[in-house]
Structure formats: structure tokens, C-alpha cells
Amino acid sequence: DGGITQSPKYLFRKEGQNVTLSCEQNLNHDAMYWYRQDPGQGLRLIYYSQIVNDFQKGDIAEGYSVSREKKESFPLTVTSAQKNPTAFYLCASSATQGRGNTEAFFGQGTRLTVV
Amino acid sequence: AQSVSQHNHHVILSEAASLELGCNYSYGGTVNLFWYVQYPGQHLQLLLKYFSGDPLVKGIKGFEAEFIKSKFSFNLRKPSVQWSDTAEYFCAGYNFNKFYFGSGTKLNVKP
């Protein structure tokens, strides 16, 4: 089954700790994205990557870091510098890079709660 | 700055009522527009998309959207909603290698 797998589904973190969210895709997509979803704010872009070993900051990158060492994988680290990390995190991927006529495919999401 | 905005944050309808959700985009160049739906507890799914051509786009589950370039709009419509359409709906655009999402509209359909 082709798709995007995010793990874990639920994650609890103590204040001051870093935590890494996993995102794997087997769709052979070049581009991958991380979004944060908060009630009433829609999806806000954290980081995106168009190709292996390259990524760009989105609108709310502060307190987050990513890596793209493999085409299939785009893990997101929520660092202790992120002031309000409790949220629902969505990973997405899309086929074409640098051109239009594409669509985003989403994972099931990870709900992160800081305790 | 590129953005997508949705006018309605929460809509409540009775079954069989007609639906129209507003969406406006504010960027130029190539226009790729989408509507996604998020059913409770499920991942975002694509309802329909517009890249070019016929501005009236048909999607899944009886949804359609009309691209009106002069109004920078891409409103979602459905003639008769069902209880199973209860979900959150997101309008999105694709520009400069990024997808931009609106703030979402929660639709509650009463049986």
C-alpha cells in the first residue's frame, strides 16, 4: 500500500526535551512538507524539502529542525526552543518538484502534547 | 505575500441543504487550487483540484468548485449535503513549491 506513515500517533513530551516525529513515504515523491495544525488556524508550514539533502524554512520554522538524508524520510525535531509545541503535526509529500500540476498527500498526523 | 483565505469558520446545515464555502487566494502566476477534507479522526483527503481549463471542477462525493479568476475565488459547492459530510474543509493553493492552506471551515450537518 503506497502512502505516508507518521509515527507515533500520540506523543507526550516533558518541557525542555527535544522530540523527533517520524515521516516516511513510499510514493517516490520528491517533495515533502511538515505542517502544524492548530484549531482555527488551518495548516501552517514549518519546513519543506524539494530534494534529498536540501530543505527550506516555512512560515513557522523557529524551534523546529529537519533533515532529508533519504528521499523516503523527512523527520521533524521539535526542540526545547519551541515555545508552544502542543499541536497536531502533519507530514505531506508531492510528486513534482518546482512545477505546478501537483497535489499533496498527507499522513495520519502526530498529536504532540507537552506535559 | 501568497495566501489563501476562507470566509466561513463554522457552518451548520440541515441534511439536504445546499452548501457553498468561500475561498480566496492572493497570489499571481500559475494558479493551482485545491479543496481538502478532514473527516473526524482521519487524514486530509483531496476533494478536487484545479490546474487549468474548465473553471468548473467536479470532485468526489458530489462536490464541485468554480474558479473565478476575476474574483480570485475558488468556492466549494454541493447541492445537497448529507450527515456524512460533517468534516473540516480546507482550501489550498500551490505556488513557488509550497502549498498554502486556509484556516479551515468546520461543517456540521444535522440529520
Side-chain angles (χ1 to χ4, degrees):
Chain A
D1 253 330
I4 300 177
T5 302
Q6 288 186 243
S7 61
K9 191 172 181 180
Y10 299 97
L11 188 56
F12 295 88
R13 188 195 93 176
K14 291 183 179 178
E15 280 194 34
Q17 285 182 338
N18 292 358
V19 64
T20 298
L21 282 59
S22 170
C23 178
E24 304 277 331
Q25 55 102 355
N26 61 4
L27 299 168
N28 199 32
H29 285 169
D30 292 309
M32 296 187 75
Y33 315 82
W34 273 105
Y35 289 90
R36 171 179 170 141
Q37 185 178 7
D38 296 284
Q41 298 193 55
L43 277 68
R44 293 181 291 167
L45 183 64
I46 305 173
Y47 269 96
Y48 63 108
S49 168
Q50 298 173 67
I51 198 167
V52 174
N53 292 324
D54 188 40
F55 48 82
Q56 288 79 38
K57 292 182 179 180
D59 301 317
I60 57 165
E62 186 175 349
Y64 299 98
S65 66
V66 293
S67 62
R68 187 86 188 275
E69 296 175 2
K70 299 186 298 182
K71 188 176 184 179
E72 315 81 65
S73 179
F74 192 41
L76 173 74
T77 297
V78 184
T79 75
S80 56
Q82 169 47 235
K83 300 290 182 222
N84 184 21
T86 294
F88 190 53
Y89 291 87
L90 286 165
C91 179
S93 69
S94 66
T96 55
Q97 76 179 71
R99 298 191 296 272
N101 294 9
T102 186
E103 67 182 80
F105 294 80
F106 285 86
Q108 295 272 16
T110 293
R111 188 164 296 281
L112 173 64
T113 303
V114 173
V115 296
Chain B
Q2 296 95 341
S3 73
V4 171
S5 59
Q6 293 180 240
H7 317 304
N8 319 97
H9 297 296
H10 198 176
V11 172
I12 301 172
L13 295 172
S14 298
E15 276 195 315
S18 65
L19 170 73
E20 181 159 2
L21 301 182
C23 172
N24 287 94
Y25 66 95
S26 61
Y27 58 87
T30 303
V31 176
N32 296 153
L33 295 164
F34 312 82
W35 276 97
Y36 284 85
V37 60
Q38 188 175 36
Y39 297 104
Q42 296 189 27
H43 64 279
L44 270 87
Q45 304 170 35
L46 182 69
L47 270 181
L48 46 79
K49 58 189 175 184
Y50 171 80
F51 293 148
S52 63
D54 189 344
L56 186 61
V57 180
K58 304 281 187 186
I60 60 171
K61 306 188 181 189
F63 286 92
E64 65 178 32
E66 185 174 12
F67 171 62
I68 303 179
K69 189 174 181 180
S70 61
K71 294 185 179 180
F72 296 89
S73 71
F74 190 57
N75 292 356
L76 181 71
R77 301 195 292 245
K78 186 170 184 178
S80 175
V81 294
Q82 301 171 316
W83 176 79
S84 58
D85 293 324
T86 293
E88 190 160 15
Y89 294 81
F90 294 92
C91 183
Y94 180 76
N95 195 244
F96 289 111
N97 304 322
K98 293 181 280 188
F99 290 89
Y100 299 88
F101 286 83
S103 55
T105 299
K106 285 191 176 177
L107 172 64
N108 203 327
V109 180
K110 294 184 172 179

